[in-house]
């Protein structure tokens, strides 16, 4: 029901999450699933409740977010 997305080492999920509402995209931070606050460059994406077109739009929004935060 979830995809784990490993971002490049220099990217931080928390930094992305701060601007995610601007792009109307949501995800869970990897560090929330780590007892050591590791996985900072991981995000968890849900796909279970969405239609194909919604998933494609979510990918476009996430890509735009990443491009804006890490040009």
């Amino acid at each position: 029901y979830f995809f784990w997305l490993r971002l490049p080492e220099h990217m931080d999920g928390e930094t992305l999450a701060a601007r995610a509402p601007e792009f109307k995209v949501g995800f869970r931070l990897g560090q929330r699933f780590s007892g050591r606050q590791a996985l900072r460059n991981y995000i968890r994406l849900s796909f279970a409740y969405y239609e194909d077109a919604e998933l494609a739009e979510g990918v476009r929004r996430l890509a735009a977010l990443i491009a804006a935060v890490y040009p």
Side-chain angles (χ1 to χ4, degrees):
Y1 296 103
F2 303 100
F3 270 117
W4 280 96
L5 179 61
R6 183 178 66 180
L7 302 165
E9 292 292 326
H10 70 281
M11 292 186 183
D12 183 279
E14 200 166 22
T15 302
L16 292 174
R19 297 217 24 219
E22 294 174 47
F23 293 84
K24 296 181 182 169
V25 67
F27 49 83
R28 297 286 181 228
L29 299 174
Q31 68 195 53
R32 290 189 179 168
F33 301 92
S34 171
R36 300 174 309 198
Q37 295 298 307
L39 307 176
R40 295 189 67 82
N41 65 315
Y42 284 77
I43 58 176
R44 190 177 84 163
L45 306 167
S46 174
F47 63 86
Y49 303 105
Y50 303 97
E51 298 295 328
D52 291 349
E54 292 172 302
L55 292 171
E57 178 62 24
V59 169
R60 282 190 287 276
R61 292 178 188 183
L62 180 59
L65 166 63
I66 291 170
V69 174
Y70 294 101

